[in-house]
Structure formats: structure tokens, C-alpha cells
Amino acid sequence: GAVVSQHPSRVICKSGTSVKIECRSLDFQATTMFWYRQFPKQSLMLMATSNEGSKATYEQGVEKDKFLINHASLTLSTLTVTSAHPEDSSFYICSAREDDARMTSTDTQYFGPGTRLTVL
Amino acid sequence: AQKITQTQPGMFVQEKEAVTLDCTYDTSDQSYGLFWYKQPSSGEMIFLIYQGSYDEQNATEGRYSLNFQKARKSANLVISASQLGDSAMYFCAMRDRNYGQNFVFGPGTRLSVLP
């Protein structure tokens, strides 16, 4: 089956630094990728939709200048948390939709294993 | 707006018994998909089962089955013969055209399987 990887799996950084998280589709092309954030004991919340070759679409309440998304190729999307603060500590999960999947509600997305960010 | 409700924050089940995890949804779209994911402590999201709104039969995948009651807008997950490895968070999710085909997740149910 389709595989999505994320790197790093875990990162600890000091407050004020920037952190980049990579999301790769390993055996399929993904024009569309999604970034989610999950706080402890809570559900996944969609942050933004990443589109290859165009600007990301951010959900309401998500600061686009703080969470920079770049989707430079059909297999790679990156999320950069700029000037990270302790409140940005969370589990970040990406998912990718296969390009040749039918564009209906029936296709599934493939999730990466997640990145746990801790900001000290 | 789309909404997924999972009313059971936590559930316990004895090993080898069956358990039902509840999920109700709300959408104005006639075409939608319902999904169940398992999230163990490692954090990865594991796809379990899918039900399309036009599917006439309940979906089944091994020990997992989905009790789909369209008129009641419910999509309960049934796990038969529970195993210790089934202990995890379980999320019900929906996709429809109103929300740009993006997932909306429920709050989740934590299942604990007792030996």
C-alpha cells in the first residue's frame, strides 16, 4: 500500500527557533497533502491543505506566517514552524492523497507517522 | 457545518469479547464517506474501514465491521474477538463535498482491552 513518511519523528527545540518538518509520499504522486495538529488527548485538527505548485490553503485561525508550507514537488511538502514557542508543542501529522484516486468522497488519504514537536 | 460525535470518551472490553464504538455524524451532502482510524500510543493513524453513503451493505474488514444506519446518521464500529493489541484511540471521520473533501474527525474513543 501507499506509504507516507515524515521527518523528523521527534524534535526538541528552544523557544524562538524555527523547525522544518518534511512529509514525503514514497511510492505515489500527491498533488495534495494535508497538515494536521493534534494536542494531547485531543483529535486531529486540519491546519492547512498543501497544493503542489501553488499556495497552501489555511484553515481559519491558523497563522500562515507562523506555519509556512511549501509543496515544491509531487512527493514532498514541508511545514516550517517559525519562531516556535511552547504553545506550539504538539503532534503534527501529514497525509497525502494519491493523484490518480477518484476525486470523490470515497478515496482515502494516507497518513504519515507524525512528528512530535516539543518547544522548551 | 459537518460534525462527528463520539459519545464514549473511554471504553473497556474483556479480551475475546466484541465491542461497539459509537459514531454519529451530520452533513447536508448526500454523497459522503465515513472512515474509522486506529491510533495507538505511537501516534500513527491506521486506516481500519470505510463506508460510502451509497453503499447498501455494511462494510467489513476482518474483525472490523461498520454498522451503518443512514437514517439515524450513525456509523458504529464493531470489533469482534478483541485482542490486547486493540487498545488504542479510535477516531471516526467523514469526508464530503461541503468541506472540500477534507477529513473531519470526531473526538475519539479510547479503548482498553482487559486480559
Side-chain angles (χ1 to χ4, degrees):
Chain A
V3 177
V4 175
S5 70
Q6 272 184 251
H7 178 79
S9 58
R10 187 180 296 265
V11 57
I12 301 173
C13 69
K14 292 183 178 180
S15 184
T17 61
S18 293
V19 176
K20 180 185 283 188
I21 303 171
E22 292 185 349
C23 177
R24 292 183 186 272
S25 58
L26 297 185
D27 54 2
F28 64 97
Q29 292 186 337
T31 301
T32 306
M33 293 185 176
F34 304 88
W35 287 97
Y36 296 84
R37 180 167 56 185
Q38 184 181 28
F39 291 111
K41 299 185 179 181
Q42 293 189 23
S43 188
L44 279 72
M45 295 298 295
L46 180 67
M47 298 175 65
T49 302
S50 172
N51 302 295
E52 188 269 338
S54 63
K55 291 182 179 181
T57 303
Y58 290 82
E59 294 300 300
Q60 193 172 13
V62 178
E63 301 174 60
K64 55 185 70 175
D65 293 334
K66 180 165 188 62
F67 298 100
L68 301 179
I69 291 173
N70 185 279
H71 195 149
S73 77
L74 289 173
T75 59
L76 173 64
S77 174
T78 60
L79 169 69
T80 301
V81 184
T82 62
S83 186
H85 292 283
E87 58 266 28
D88 298 323
S89 298
S90 187
F91 192 58
Y92 292 87
I93 307 176
C94 73
S95 69
R97 178 192 294 159
E98 274 192 87
D99 276 356
D100 59 359
R102 289 179 299 131
M103 292 303 291
T104 68
S105 60
T106 61
D107 60 328
T108 60
Q109 297 178 20
Y110 303 100
F111 285 88
T115 296
R116 192 165 302 281
L117 170 64
T118 303
V119 184
L120 303 176
Chain B
Q2 296 73 18
K3 187 176 179 181
I4 298 284
T5 302
Q6 294 179 253
T7 59
Q8 308 150 314
M11 286 281 286
F12 290 91
V13 64
Q14 207 69 38
E15 193 179 7
K16 299 180 184 178
E17 305 256 314
V19 63
T20 298
L21 306 183
D22 295 341
C23 172
T24 58
Y25 60 92
D26 187 26
T27 178
S28 58
D29 199 349
Q30 297 301 309
S31 176
Y32 52 88
L34 297 158
F35 305 79
W36 277 91
Y37 283 87
K38 171 185 177 182
Q39 187 180 44
S41 57
S42 60
E44 62 183 313
M45 295 292 284
I46 301 171
F47 168 72
L48 296 179
I49 196 166
Y50 162 80
Q51 180 87 40
S53 58
Y54 294 119
D55 294 342
E56 295 185 352
Q57 292 195 340
N58 287 341
T60 60
E61 290 286 348
R63 294 188 298 112
Y64 305 107
S65 61
L66 201 151
N67 184 359
F68 182 45
Q69 298 186 45
K70 193 171 182 177
R72 298 179 62 182
K73 292 190 174 179
S74 75
N76 299 338
L77 176 70
V78 180
I79 304 175
S80 62
S82 297
Q83 302 172 357
L84 295 179
D86 293 336
S87 294
M89 282 292 291
Y90 288 81
F91 292 99
C92 180
M94 178 176 68
R95 296 182 62 192
D96 66 17
R97 290 171 295 193
N98 289 337
Y99 195 45
Q101 300 285 353
N102 296 328
F103 275 128
V104 174
F105 285 90
T109 295
R110 179 165 296 281
L111 177 67
S112 299
V113 180
L114 306 174

